[in-house]
Amino acid sequence: MVEVEGVVDRVIHVGSDGHTVAVLATGETGAPVTVAGTVLTGLRPGETLRVSGRRPTSGRHTDTVRALTCERVLPATVRAIRAYLGSGLIKGIGPTIAQAIVDRFGADTLTVVDTTPDLLLQVPLIGRKRLATIVEGWAEQRAIREVMVFLQGVGVTPGLAVRIHRHLGAEAQQIVEQHPYQLIERVHGIGFHIADKIALAVGIPERSGARVRAALLHVLDEARGGGGHCFLPRSALLTSATQLVRQDGQLVEDALEELREMGSVVLERTPALFEDDLVFPSWLHRREVAVAENVRRLMAAPSQLPTRAGAAPAEDPPLGERQLAAVEMALTETLSILTGGPGSGKSHTVAALVRRARARGATVALAAPTGRAAKRLSELTGLRATTVHRLVHRRDNPVDDGGLFDPDDGLSSDLVVVDEASMLDVLIADRLLRAIPDGSHLLLVGDVDQLPSVGPGAVLHDLLSVADVPSTRLDTVYRQAADSGIVHNANRVVAGRPPVNGPQFWFHDLDQDPVPDVAELVVDIATRRLPAKQDCPPAQVQILCPGKARATGATALSRLAQERRNPPRDGDGTDEHWFDDRPFRVGDKVMPTRNDPTKGEFGVFNGATGTITAVDKDEQRLEVALDDGQVVTYDFDELETLAHAYAITVHRSQGSEYPYVVIPLTNDTPHPLLQRNLLYTAITRAKKLVVVVGHRGALFRAIDNRPRRRNTLLTHRLSAIGPSEAPPARTPDGQQFAF
């Protein structure tokens, strides 16, 4: 056993399981010592660690300490103090000011900061305002250390302890001790399993009502987040929750009744569909009911579209018969849908519709779920297009549910066209439909064969399943698109046939070319081989993954690609900041993972991407230039809502296009993610070339695996206006719904 104390100089590697390799600078000379282990999760450069572990006596890594315990301590040497203060951990202190403070107070620096902080006014660049920020930052770090000591005592990792304190502040210890299941709702990234581990460690009984209620809500939330379901059958929910808490069924049934009485869930009975009660989270039930009500309202309202005569502009090429029918449908029906696959002429039809509507004197609003899709829609029509979120959110009150239309933004339009409508979940569809006034026309445009929305529901699919909702499907692939290997293979996949190699599509067969490290191969193709072959910058290549986890998931591949495309620069680390186990560097490609309509000039929403342009350790924030032209800032404590985007999930890519796409599809991919519509969506994101790196077995499983129907009642709620026969839905317990 050995014990090492030193300052984290740099982090070499962080694995998907949290295994971390770092270099400590020890002693006054800064002699480097490499340490490794999962107990190091969440460390950041500048921290001082006391690590205990073993040094192997044989093998390649005899100079590496295998860490068994890790304790954060205050630095004791001048060198360590300078690194600690300059690392960005203390608000108001960056590398320059850290150097000035240590030059003035030397080894007494931390004592001065802790006991007589007013003396810091003797340091140049520090005034009263900055001093107040430093005092606040120091108090916060002291509180974090105290909370971390407590949380590590109940098995919480250091990185998670910092996150808990970041969200809860001074309340952290009290909530963890008395109401640990509140962590699920109040701390991003903590689910039932982590909260339950903490709860049992602090003495919450296994039969606690709070524990069982949390388990029931967790099962519903997993169904929503993992499968897009709006509800679960009561029996399936009770079975899953009972298995989760390992308690008797009556206790779980009582807890479900408590949730119903509290208004947290709604039980709905639909005997025509299923003999069991259906259990919704109450907020999601309200949204789905509201979507149905507003569909009825819009369809019942008489059209207010101007009818004055106007010459129909000539189209080049001329519209086909079904395209003409789609245009006429959108001009006469207050709610309608246009669907079709790649190359079927949806874009040409939308452009013709917009021109004809404007020729009749109609005002037109254009929107899409993502900024990139909105930009394409704008380029197609020559009119300004916006994101759906921006369309329906008011800047002065982004959570307000009413008064969402602002005439100054052109939102009270005669015709509203929403592209990429397959991405609309129940929540945003609710806001969108409520915002459309009576008499306005709404056209939803989308490819129903693509992945459904990231959020709950299957709005486009459900509306297409209602006979009286007007819709047109374009099923002719036009000649120019038919010559595209991307379009050809996308249509083969959606028809259940395997793709074929050609100039625009290539399957790198791992069965024929086995490699020891598939993740390294994928990143090498995306960052070196493909850019060299196509004579393009690596930035034009996007890795799209079925999921986030595993060695070939988006999280691990993004880390590898970052090290290839934007490795750490030689220097003092001023252009990067470590958050949890991730370095954020100037030049990094990033994307937000949470909507924030108050950030920037227009708000920030899922699907946006950008580049880090500045790291300000004095002000503790990053500057990000988004693709839509906005420049927004993220405080260091907001970085859990920002992800690296060198590799992203296929779901996150919806609404976007990239010149070149690399798709890992391996036997390591979780089977539920190997779905036909996922592969189809990934292929259709590329404009010039697709490279699939994978095993034939995984490829054929994806093609054979048709997506399961999501548990929704939207089609049923619209049955009074004529439901059509929809495919059956298989629920998690194996029973079927026929919607």
Side-chain angles (χ1 to χ4, degrees):
M1 290 288 294
V2 296
E3 184 175 279
V4 181
E5 183 173 317
V7 179
V8 180
D9 182 58
R10 64 185 185 278
V11 179
I12 298 174
H13 170 75
V14 179
S16 56
D17 61 351
H19 182 79
T20 302
V21 182
V23 175
L24 304 186
T26 62
E28 288 290 354
T29 62
V33 174
T34 302
V35 294
T38 55
V39 295
L40 304 174
T41 303
L43 59 78
R44 293 191 285 181
E47 291 182 306
T48 298
L49 308 181
R50 183 177 296 132
V51 175
S52 296
R54 298 184 181 277
R55 194 175 258 129
T57 57
S58 61
R60 292 187 302 161
H61 303 292
T62 55
D63 58 342
T64 298
V65 175
R66 303 294 182 183
L68 300 176
T69 65
C70 174
E71 179 185 0
R72 266 74 170 174
V73 297
L74 286 176
T77 67
V78 170
R79 188 179 190 282
I81 292 170
R82 184 186 302 111
Y84 175 68
L85 292 180
S87 67
L89 289 170
I90 309 298
K91 289 181 180 177
I93 303 179
T96 302
I97 293 178
Q99 180 69 56
I101 294 174
V102 174
D103 286 348
R104 175 68 181 81
F105 298 109
D108 297 327
T109 292
L110 296 186
T111 301
V112 169
V113 175
D114 191 45
T115 60
T116 53
D118 284 350
L119 294 179
L120 295 176
L121 293 171
Q122 300 174 11
V123 178
L125 304 177
I126 296 182
R128 288 287 177 186
K129 184 177 180 180
R130 185 174 294 276
L131 176 63
T133 302
I134 293 172
V135 169
E136 179 185 352
W138 179 258
E140 181 179 350
Q141 284 300 311
R142 180 167 50 199
I144 288 174
R145 289 194 298 272
E146 293 171 355
V147 171
M148 284 176 66
V149 170
F150 165 72
L151 291 177
Q152 287 181 268
V154 295
V156 178
T157 64
L160 194 56
V162 171
R163 181 177 296 178
I164 290 172
H165 183 272
R166 186 183 305 126
H167 283 269
L168 303 178
E171 296 181 279
Q173 185 165 338
Q174 178 186 359
I175 289 173
V176 168
E177 288 182 313
Q178 300 178 15
H179 309 288
Y181 294 104
Q182 289 187 11
L183 296 173
I184 299 170
E185 293 185 4
R186 300 186 60 177
V187 181
H188 180 68
I190 291 186
F192 174 80
H193 295 288
I194 294 175
D196 195 45
K197 178 181 176 182
I198 295 172
L200 296 178
V202 299
I204 300 296
E206 289 188 353
R207 293 179 60 83
S208 160
R211 178 174 186 248
V212 182
R213 290 193 299 271
L216 285 161
L217 293 175
H218 166 75
V219 174
L220 284 173
D221 193 58
E222 284 287 289
R224 175 189 61 82
H229 299 302
C230 293
F231 67 83
L232 285 178
R234 181 177 181 273
S235 57
L237 172 62
L238 292 174
T239 297
S240 295
T242 300
Q243 293 172 348
L244 186 61
V245 297
R246 297 180 180 177
Q247 299 298 318
D248 61 86
Q250 187 59 52
L251 183 66
V252 180
E253 289 190 39
D254 293 343
L256 179 59
E257 178 60 21
E258 290 169 5
L259 287 174
R260 189 193 64 78
E261 292 174 352
M262 295 163 61
S264 298
V265 300
V266 172
L267 274 66
E268 183 169 354
R269 180 169 289 278
T270 54
L273 301 177
F274 198 68
E275 61 185 19
D276 200 358
D277 287 335
L278 307 179
V279 186
F280 290 77
S282 56
W283 62 270
L284 191 48
H285 183 267
R286 288 194 302 271
R287 296 299 185 111
E288 189 181 73
V289 169
V291 168
E293 290 174 346
N294 280 290
V295 167
R296 294 176 186 276
R297 173 182 63 83
L298 292 178
M299 293 186 64
S303 171
Q304 299 296 320
L305 196 73
T307 57
R308 79 165 188 246
E315 306 298 341
D316 184 22
L319 295 175
E321 182 179 349
R322 294 191 68 79
Q323 291 176 311
L324 282 169
V327 170
E328 184 63 23
M329 172 190 70
L331 292 175
T332 56
E333 302 289 350
T334 50
L335 175 63
S336 58
I337 301 172
L338 173 63
T339 188
S344 63
K346 294 194 303 296
S347 297
H348 186 46
T349 305
V350 169
L353 167 66
V354 170
R355 285 191 289 269
R356 295 187 184 209
R358 285 168 60 83
R360 294 173 58 168
T363 56
V364 180
L366 305 173
T370 68
R372 288 193 177 202
K375 184 178 180 181
R376 290 202 317 272
L377 189 58
S378 180
E379 293 169 349
L380 171 71
T381 61
L383 298 180
R384 176 179 175 268
T386 185
T387 63
V388 178
H389 295 87
R390 195 177 299 171
L391 187 77
V392 300
H393 280 86
R394 292 198 321 180
R395 293 291 299 172
D396 58 339
N397 190 358
V399 297
D400 182 20
D401 282 338
L404 298 175
F405 261 62
D406 181 353
D408 294 337
D409 287 339
L411 301 183
S412 54
S413 303
D414 301 311
L415 171 65
V416 179
V417 179
V418 177
D419 199 7
E420 299 285 356
S422 63
M423 297 176 63
L424 296 179
D425 61 21
V426 170
L427 283 71
I428 193 61
D430 172 34
R431 285 187 173 271
L432 171 66
L433 292 166
R434 269 192 282 170
I436 307 291
D438 290 352
S440 289
H441 287 221
L442 172 63
L443 174 66
L444 301 176
V445 183
D447 184 350
V448 75
D449 292 318
Q450 287 188 16
L451 281 172
S453 57
V454 175
V459 175
L460 185 66
H461 178 281
D462 289 351
L463 291 179
L464 284 168
S465 299
V466 180
D468 285 356
V469 174
S471 64
T472 301
R473 183 179 185 106
L474 303 179
D475 50 15
T476 299
V477 177
Y478 288 87
R479 182 171 181 179
Q480 183 177 359
D483 293 337
S484 164
I486 294 172
V487 171
H488 177 65
N489 279 305
N491 287 324
R492 285 182 64 89
V493 167
V494 84
R497 294 182 292 165
V500 292
N501 284 340
Q504 293 183 295
F505 183 95
W506 187 256
F507 176 63
H508 187 105
D509 192 345
L510 292 173
D511 295 313
Q512 300 297 321
D513 180 22
V515 291
D517 194 328
V518 177
E520 287 284 356
L521 172 64
V522 171
V523 171
D524 190 49
I525 289 173
T527 61
R528 184 181 66 84
R529 299 190 197 184
L530 188 55
K533 187 174 182 62
Q534 299 296 324
D535 192 22
C536 70
Q540 291 191 9
V541 183
Q542 181 64 55
I543 302 173
L544 299 183
C545 306
K548 292 189 295 185
R550 310 285 179 92
T552 55
T555 301
L557 291 182
S558 227
R559 286 172 177 154
L560 285 174
Q562 180 195 33
E563 294 307 306
R564 296 285 188 90
R565 287 180 48 181
N566 194 27
R569 299 164 179 80
D570 293 334
D572 56 8
T574 55
D575 61 350
E576 73 174 20
H577 174 73
W578 282 77
F579 179 86
D580 289 345
D581 55 3
R582 300 176 294 154
F584 288 86
R585 300 180 182 126
V586 171
D588 270 343
K589 182 178 181 179
V590 292
M591 69 187 311
T593 60
R594 204 181 303 170
N595 295 334
D596 187 348
T598 66
K599 189 175 286 295
E601 183 180 359
F602 306 117
V604 173
F605 301 100
N606 282 335
T609 57
T611 303
I612 296 176
T613 54
V615 176
D616 188 335
K617 291 194 173 182
D618 289 334
E619 299 299 327
Q620 291 205 312
R621 63 189 183 193
L622 304 180
E623 186 177 89
V624 179
L626 295 176
D627 291 343
D628 64 2
Q630 295 187 90
V631 176
V632 299
T633 59
Y634 280 84
D635 293 340
F636 283 174
D637 60 6
E638 295 181 293
L639 294 183
E640 67 187 31
T641 68
L642 201 64
H644 292 88
Y646 297 103
I648 62 176
T649 64
V650 178
H651 261 115
R652 292 277 183 196
S653 74
Q654 285 180 270
S656 298
E657 287 184 340
Y658 313 94
Y660 306 96
V661 165
V662 177
I663 307 166
L665 204 68
T666 69
N667 291 333
D668 185 52
T669 305
H671 285 201
L673 296 177
L674 293 173
Q675 293 189 2
R676 183 183 300 180
N677 59 353
L678 183 140
L679 178 57
Y680 171 77
T681 302
I683 291 172
T684 56
R685 298 309 89 200
K687 292 190 288 187
K688 296 182 179 180
L689 176 66
V690 176
V691 177
V692 177
V693 181
H695 298 103
R696 286 190 173 273
L699 176 66
F700 282 104
R701 278 194 295 274
I703 293 170
D704 291 340
N705 189 10
R706 302 190 68 172
R708 296 195 323 183
R709 175 79 163 83
R710 290 182 167 189
N711 292 346
T712 73
L713 284 187
L714 181 57
T715 301
H716 171 70
R717 298 188 196 287
L718 293 170
S719 59
I721 59 172
S724 63
E725 184 177 350
R730 188 170 296 278
T731 61
D733 64 350
Q735 294 169 303
Q736 286 192 334
F737 293 98
F739 289 89

